[in-house]
Structure formats: structure tokens, C-alpha cells
Amino acid sequence: MLFEQVNSIIAEIEQASPDTPEALEQFRIRFLGSKNVIKALSGEIRNIPNEQKRDFGRLVNEAIAAAEAKFQALKSGLDAAVEQISAASLDLSAPGEPGIWGTRHPISITMNRIIRIFERIGFVVAEDREIEDDWHNFTALNTPEDHPARDMQDTYYLRGSDNLLLRTHTSSVQARLMNVQQPPIRIIAPGRVYRNETISARSHCQFHQVEGLYVDEGVSFADLKQTLLYFAKEMFGATQIRLRPSFFPFTEPSAEMDVYLGTDTEDNYRLTKGTGWLEILGCGMVDPAVLDNCGIDSERYTGFAFGMGIERQAMRLFGINDIRLLFENDTRFLRQFATVV
Ligand code: PHE
């Protein structure tokens, strides 16, 4: 009876054909696990008559060996099959997963366009710090303390200092450069600036500027006008500019420049409030007092300067209607400029 049982287990082992990892595990548990069926039967040896004990033991060992051999054979077959499947699903010629590329910010795109236009006529880029001292941002530029013009550019002072501030314009770069370099100077200063303004769809407490400075012997207002006309043509395709008298403490005379966009398109009509003219920048002849403050001989040299904001131009260029979008860095917004250069 017990012999028959072992024999039928051996037969079961030989016939078994598990073909999944799960079925193989069931096989292992049934025949090789810690509570396997062979073990259970081998405990019965005490009920076997003595003269048959040896044969019974041999048969049980045969069953164990059969289970082990079958398990090893099945396992290597299954491993090979799994390997084959995963090799088949690995297609080395398949195209790669596309990486996520950064995109240029619309401010950078606009700024770079402006820079390239001026570089073509010999201006070089000058950059400097955003945390400025009072002298370079205001005093050197003819805006001493308590001068009413400071109200035009109210800014943030660093805590515990009444000398260090966030620069309100990149004119401070011009002041720094003139301090260390004698004319001819022909630079543009792009960069981030700050003013104490309420944040809304139209204004922000941080924005970007490109300012220009040209100082040499004999630089005249006519040079300024031609330079600006060239810029307006290149940047806006405009054929006309208009200079309106204005005031800046560091230039004399001073002007605001408008470009003529016309009213042909709905955008231009709205943007120019129906006049066709869009205000772009402030400019003027560098006040001789500024040259003197910065160690440049105002008897010998003259110069012009101009400064413009980037955000409005970027908004016009790309049809953006809220300045805050430019500072939130929402990638859904920024990705839209991926193909613009
Ligand atoms: N710095 C001025 C501003 O930020 C712009 C400007 C620059 C005007 C140079 C005249 C000359 O408003």
C-alpha cells in the first residue's frame, strides 16, 4: 500500500509539466517544500515490516531524486523561455525616448534680438551686478539724494543698509564702465532691474532693460537719431521714429522715442491706442556732469545714451497679454517658445 503510494507520486512527478513560473512553484512546494508529500510518506517507514524497510527507503530516495531532477530541468527550461521573451521585446533599433529640452525664455529671445542688432554696428555687451550701491545707480547719474527724480525709480533697499539697493536701471553699468574705461566707449547693457511697483497684468516689480551708451569725440544728437532709426527699422520694420522732449537727470537734452507701427492691424491699433505710435525708449545726450562724475573729460568728449524695457517688446512680439506670465516660469507657457529663435 505505502509502496504504491510512493510509486504513484513518482509517476505524478514524471508526468508533471508546469509551464509558468507560478505552476513550477506549486510543483516545488508539493514535492520539495518543507512539508512535501514524499516527506509525509517517508515518516510511515515505521509501519513497514523490517525486511522491507530498506526497499522502501530506496524508493523514497528515488522519488526525491526524481523530484529534484525534474525541478532543475523545468526551471532551466523556463528561465531560457523568459530570457527569450524579454530579448524579443528589446528592440535595439527602436527610436529612443525623446528627452525634455529646455527652451529659451521669451525675454531672452527678445533681448538677444536687440543685442544682435546693436552688435552689428559695433556695440559690445557689458554686464554688472544687480545689487548696486547708491552712487552708481543714482548719485553718479546726477540724481543726488532728495532729488525728486528718485521718485520715478523707487526701489528696494537691502535690510540694514541705506546704501545698497536693487538697481532700478542698467545705467548703473554705464557708470561703472565709464569709471574704469576712457572713450571710445560703445556698449549695451542688458539685464534685470527692479522697481517698487504694484504687480499687475501691465507692471511688475522686476523687469529687464537694454541700455546703450556711446561716448567719443564729436558724438552728436544726429548720431543718436540715426542709431535709433536703424534700431527701429531692424526690430520693428518701422520706417519712422519720433523723438519727443522729455526729462532724465543724466541726459540733456532728453527725449522719448516712439516708433510708427501704423494702425493697419487690430493689434497695432490697440497697442498704439489708435495713434499708430508706440513709445519704446528713453534717450538723450549724456549730461556733462555725469561724464565728469565718472572721470571722463566733458570738454573733450560727448556721448549719447538710451534705455528700453524688454517686457513690453516681448509681449508685443509674441502676443502676450499679462506680464506676470513672464515671471511665473510655468513650463506650459514657456514650452510654446521652443521653436522661436
Ligand atoms: N535709465 C532710464 C530708465 O530706466 C532710461 C534711459 C537711459 C534714459 C539712458 C535716457 C538715457 O528709465
Side-chain angles (χ1 to χ4, degrees):
M1 185 59 191
L2 285 168
F3 278 87
E4 271 165 35
Q5 284 186 23
V6 180
N7 274 325
S8 81
I9 286 174
I10 292 175
E12 201 191 323
I13 288 169
E14 275 163 3
Q15 279 158 27
S17 56
D19 54 3
T20 65
E22 294 75 30
L24 183 64
E25 180 61 5
Q26 288 306 316
F27 178 93
R28 191 192 63 78
I29 291 168
R30 178 158 167 78
F31 300 110
L32 296 166
S34 57
K35 289 179 187 153
N36 69 61
V37 289
I38 305 171
K39 225 187 235 176
L41 277 177
S42 68
E44 298 290 328
I45 197 162
R46 62 195 134 85
N47 301 322
I48 301 272
N50 272 345
E51 65 276 12
Q52 292 178 14
K53 276 197 164 70
R54 173 194 283 258
D55 286 344
F56 185 75
R58 210 177 275 145
L59 193 63
V60 165
N61 283 340
E62 211 177 286
I64 293 171
E68 271 169 359
K70 181 94 181 195
F71 178 75
Q72 284 311 327
L74 288 168
K75 189 166 164 16
S76 49
L78 209 67
D79 284 352
V82 167
E83 217 164 277
Q84 232 168 25
I85 291 168
S86 56
S89 60
L90 180 70
D91 178 1
L92 295 178
S93 67
E97 298 265 320
I100 299 172
W101 291 75
T103 60
R104 235 181 264 287
H105 194 283
I107 294 288
S108 304
I109 296 170
T110 312
M111 202 137 84
N112 288 344
R113 282 192 192 177
I114 297 170
I115 290 170
R116 261 182 260 134
I117 291 170
F118 283 106
E119 275 177 345
R120 255 182 268 146
I121 53 169
F123 283 79
V124 293
V125 169
E127 288 179 305
D128 219 301
R129 65 212 70 188
E130 288 178 28
I131 297 175
E132 226 352 313
D133 56 39
D134 183 282
W135 196 81
H136 289 95
N137 195 81
F138 288 126
T139 308
L141 301 168
N142 241 3
T143 320
E145 227 171 302
D146 303 325
H147 191 290
R150 283 204 180 196
D151 284 350
M152 287 160 66
Q153 302 192 1
D154 186 19
T155 189
Y156 303 98
Y157 285 80
L158 268 65
R159 188 193 293 249
S161 165
D162 50 11
N163 183 42
L164 289 179
L165 49 90
L166 296 180
R167 68 181 179 190
T168 59
H169 47 189
T170 55
S171 307
S172 56
V173 180
Q174 308 179 3
R176 282 198 176 268
L177 201 97
M178 285 192 283
N179 265 306
V180 295
Q181 194 188 313
Q182 284 298 308
I185 294 172
R186 199 185 295 173
I187 55 148
I188 38 170
R192 196 198 307 264
V193 300
Y194 303 83
R195 289 186 199 175
N196 186 7
E197 303 260 350
T198 315
I199 298 174
S200 74
R202 302 294 303 161
S203 74
H204 209 283
C205 59
Q206 56 173 335
F207 58 100
H208 295 75
Q209 281 191 327
V210 173
E211 294 215 348
L213 173 71
Y214 179 27
V215 184
D216 203 350
E217 280 178 30
V219 175
S220 71
F221 199 89
D223 296 324
L224 170 62
K225 204 173 156 186
Q226 282 308 308
T227 304
L228 296 180
L229 179 61
Y230 157 78
F231 171 70
K233 277 184 181 161
E234 295 295 310
M235 189 70 187
F236 301 95
T239 49
Q240 282 183 69
I241 61 169
R242 173 167 89 176
L243 291 168
R244 281 179 292 107
S246 183
F247 173 81
F248 298 101
F250 30 87
T251 45
E252 182 59 35
S254 304
E256 311 255 7
M257 179 189 85
D258 304 335
V259 295
Y260 189 70
L261 299 179
T263 51
D264 296 351
T265 68
E266 207 178 309
D267 275 352
N268 284 345
Y269 188 89
R270 187 177 38 80
L271 213 61
T272 62
K273 300 189 175 79
T275 65
W277 291 98
L278 185 67
E279 184 187 320
I280 295 295
L281 53 77
C283 59
M285 298 306 291
V286 181
D287 193 308
V290 172
L291 294 177
D292 291 336
N293 283 342
C294 296
I296 290 176
D297 181 358
S298 62
E299 297 285 323
R300 182 170 167 201
Y301 297 109
T302 51
F304 68 69
F306 56 86
M308 65 186 103
I310 307 304
E311 274 70 7
R312 295 262 159 79
Q313 294 190 46
M315 289 165 77
R316 192 194 77 89
L317 218 50
F318 301 118
I320 300 166
N321 55 15
D322 191 322
I323 196 171
R324 290 168 291 198
L325 287 166
L326 294 169
F327 297 107
E328 284 163 357
N329 286 333
D330 185 330
T331 52
R332 290 170 304 178
F333 170 74
L334 296 178
R335 235 181 274 130
Q336 298 175 53
F337 303 94
T339 56
V340 188
V341 276

